[in-house]
Amino acid sequence: RIGRTGRAGASGDAISLTNAKAVLSLMWIKNNANSGIKGTTVSKLALTDLLLQANTNNIGEQAGILINDLSDPAATATRVEVTGSTEDNVRIHNSAVTGTIVFDTCTVKDNSTVSGNQGIFFQTNTTGNLTGTVKNSTLSGNRTIALRADAGAGSTANATFNNNTISVGSLIRGTQVIAVSRAATSSLTFTIHTHPIPRSIATPTTVFSGRGHARCIGRPQHDLAPPR
């Protein structure tokens, strides 16, 4: 079953948004060949009570949720579950606009054991500016990185990861939990407080700051899971 504007088992994107405003709720989006939700130049986005399962069949310009150039100053994703994507489960990528999105009480898990990459990825480049928050959410079995923010050359990224529960899952042992990075001419600000971090993960957080006249400001804080 799926909501009014989506498709199940489609050959392309289940929901495609271009120069659009979208308010989506109570939808089950599954088994689509490309992205579950794909948007380009989206000025309003509100996602509530969605289930996205096993969408995408390739890496690259596909994800469970893929939004390019989100200009909404107050986009939200609440009680959204994304699972089983080929590469990234969720990717928000701004290259020419300024936007803000908050993921709250979401579940993002189990991308491909072979080609899976990030759970939730906030990405900027060129003149893009993105403020992204993930809070009160559960991430499990995302193959390489559960939460990532990256500011490419000339862009600005602000990331807050707060009160999330992250585990390696039953299928995949991820190499990192959280990664934040910036290029030499970009700006990155981050706040990280994640509870709990599995003791089996050797690298809870990676911070990379390229040389140049820009800034990388932040403080990671983790609570370790209790020993068994």
Side-chain angles (χ1 to χ4, degrees), residues 16-190:
S16 181
L17 310 168
T18 303
N19 295 315
K21 299 179 179 181
V23 178
L24 307 175
S25 63
L26 298 172
M27 302 178 76
W28 181 12
I29 302 168
K30 64 182 294 187
N31 296 334
N32 292 279
N34 294 344
S35 299
I37 298 172
K38 183 175 181 180
T40 302
T41 314
V42 177
S43 58
K44 179 177 178 59
L45 185 68
L47 310 175
T48 308
D49 296 316
L50 305 184
L51 176 59
L52 295 97
Q53 295 177 313
N55 297 293
T56 74
N57 64 5
N58 210 340
I59 62 173
E61 197 61 12
Q62 297 183 12
I65 297 174
L66 173 59
I67 306 295
N68 292 313
D69 278 338
L70 173 70
S71 60
D72 190 342
T76 58
T78 306
R79 296 183 302 276
V80 173
E81 180 173 322
V82 185
T83 182
S85 303
T86 305
E87 186 178 13
D88 296 334
N89 273 319
V90 178
R91 188 190 316 149
I92 312 297
H93 180 198
N94 276 10
S95 60
V97 301
T98 297
T100 298
I101 188 166
V102 177
F103 289 83
D104 189 358
T105 322
C106 295
T107 300
V108 179
K109 63 181 184 178
D110 295 339
N111 52 21
S112 169
T113 59
V114 176
S115 57
N117 207 359
Q118 283 89 201
I120 297 178
F121 184 15
F122 297 137
Q123 182 181 23
T124 60
N125 67 330
T126 318
T127 59
N129 187 319
L130 177 63
T131 297
T133 297
V134 182
K135 62 180 182 178
N136 307 319
S137 295
T138 300
L139 297 101
S140 175
N142 295 288
R143 179 173 170 265
T144 62
I145 301 170
L147 296 169
R148 184 181 178 193
D150 178 72
S155 68
T156 300
N158 300 277
T160 298
F161 303 136
N162 185 46
N163 195 38
N164 301 298
T165 299
I166 300 175
S167 65
V168 296
S170 59
L171 299 177
I172 309 167
R173 182 166 294 277
T175 56
Q176 300 175 46
V177 174
I178 297 170
V180 293
S181 55
R182 76 166 186 92
T185 57
S186 65
S187 177
L188 169 68
T189 303
F190 65 91

